[in-house]
Amino acid sequence: MAYFPFFVDIENQDCLIAGGGAVALRKVEVLLPYGPRITVVSPEIGPEMEALANGRETGGQEAEIILKRRPFSMEDLDGRDFVIAATDNEELNHRISEACKAQRIPVNVVDVKEECSFIFPSIVREGDIVVGISSGGKSPTVTQYLKSQVRQGIPKGYGKLVDQLGSYRDFVKERVPDVDCRAVIFRRMADLGRENGCRLDDSLVEGLIKQVTEERG
C-alpha cells in the first residue's frame, strides 16, 4: 500500500538520531534546512558530523545539533518528537523501533521499511515549494529518476514567487471582503507574477485588485 504524504512542520521539534556514521550524516543534512533540534547519540561520531555540528553551533544556522559520544540508552527517547535509528546494529535498531512505537513516537529505521512508522521521501525543494516522491521503498531508482524530472519542471524563481504571493495574502484580504473575488485575484496574481519574471509589487497588486473588483461589480 502507498504511503500518505503528510507535510509536517518540524521547526524546533526534538529529533533523536541514533548513530554517528555516514547514514546518520545524510539524514542530518536532509533535516537541517527545516530547523529541528537534533541530538546525535553514538559511541563513534564521524569527522563530517563533527564539522557539521561545529559549523551550526558557531555559524548561527537553522538547526541545533547536539552530539553525545556514548552508547544509546532508552532514556534518550524521552521527550523526543521523532527518532531515526541509523546504527550499524540491527538488533539495536529493532529495539529502538519497538520502543518508539510503544510510546507513539514516530520512528524511521534506515533501509528497513518494516521497522518504520514514517519514511523519508526523495525531496525536491525550491524555497517553500517542496515535492516529496516515494515508491514505498520498492524502487529508489524510479524515485531518483522522477526527482530529476520534477526538479527540471519547476521554473527558476518559483520559490521567490510563492514567498511574494504569501506576503500579499493579508494585503488582499484587508481590501477585498468577498471570498470569491479574492480567489480570482489570487489566481491572477500568480499568473501576473509568472509573466513578470516571478516578481510582484504593491502597484501591480493594487492595480489587479481594482481591475477584478470593477469587473465583478
Side-chain angles (χ1 to χ4, degrees):
M1 181 179 293
Y3 285 82
F4 184 83
F6 278 110
F7 281 78
V8 180
D9 181 4
I10 61 171
E11 185 175 9
N12 295 320
Q13 286 204 5
D14 220 321
C15 168
L16 174 73
I17 299 182
V23 174
L25 177 66
R26 288 198 296 272
K27 298 304 182 186
V28 171
E29 290 172 336
V30 169
L31 292 169
L32 277 177
Y34 301 90
R37 297 188 302 273
I38 301 172
T39 300
V40 177
V41 178
S42 177
E44 297 182 3
I45 294 176
E48 295 89 352
M49 186 80 80
E50 291 267 14
L52 192 59
N54 291 335
R56 292 285 156 169
E57 291 166 0
T58 60
Q61 301 293 333
E62 297 93 335
E64 176 185 7
I65 307 174
I66 299 170
L67 304 182
K68 295 187 177 182
R69 196 185 298 274
R70 59 166 173 76
F72 171 83
S73 168
M74 286 298 168
E75 285 72 28
D76 288 321
L77 301 179
D78 294 346
R80 306 300 179 183
D81 293 303
F82 62 102
V83 172
I84 299 167
T87 78
D88 57 4
N89 184 326
E90 292 183 4
E91 176 56 30
L92 176 57
N93 288 344
H94 174 72
R95 288 195 288 112
I96 293 172
S97 173
E98 292 294 302
C100 286
K101 290 176 181 178
Q103 298 178 52
R104 296 186 180 275
I105 302 171
V107 61
N108 175 270
V109 179
V110 177
D111 292 333
V112 188
K113 182 181 70 170
E114 295 74 21
E115 301 277 359
C116 300
S117 60
F118 76 93
I119 63 173
F120 279 77
S122 289
I123 295 173
V124 178
R125 182 175 181 184
E126 170 72 21
D128 283 348
I129 299 173
V130 180
V131 181
I133 305 168
S134 170
S135 64
K138 297 175 182 177
S139 180
T141 300
V142 169
T143 57
Q144 287 302 311
Y145 169 76
L146 292 174
K147 179 178 179 178
S148 68
Q149 296 298 304
V150 171
R151 181 180 285 116
Q152 294 173 34
I154 298 177
K156 185 177 180 180
Y158 264 41
K160 292 181 180 179
L161 176 59
V162 165
D163 284 341
Q164 291 184 72
L165 291 168
S167 71
Y168 278 109
R169 292 193 71 81
D170 290 340
F171 184 88
V172 174
K173 287 179 179 179
E174 289 170 1
R175 289 159 176 77
V176 183
D178 183 77
V179 174
D180 292 336
C181 187
R182 286 204 303 260
V184 173
I185 291 169
F186 288 136
R187 285 197 297 271
R188 293 196 189 177
M189 280 175 61
D191 292 339
L192 184 62
R194 289 192 293 267
E195 294 166 3
N196 197 46
C198 294
R199 294 189 302 273
L200 293 169
D201 58 41
D202 289 358
S203 62
L204 287 172
V205 175
E206 286 173 346
L208 185 57
I209 291 172
K210 181 179 179 182
Q211 177 187 358
V212 174
T213 51
E214 287 178 352
E215 289 175 359
R216 296 178 67 86

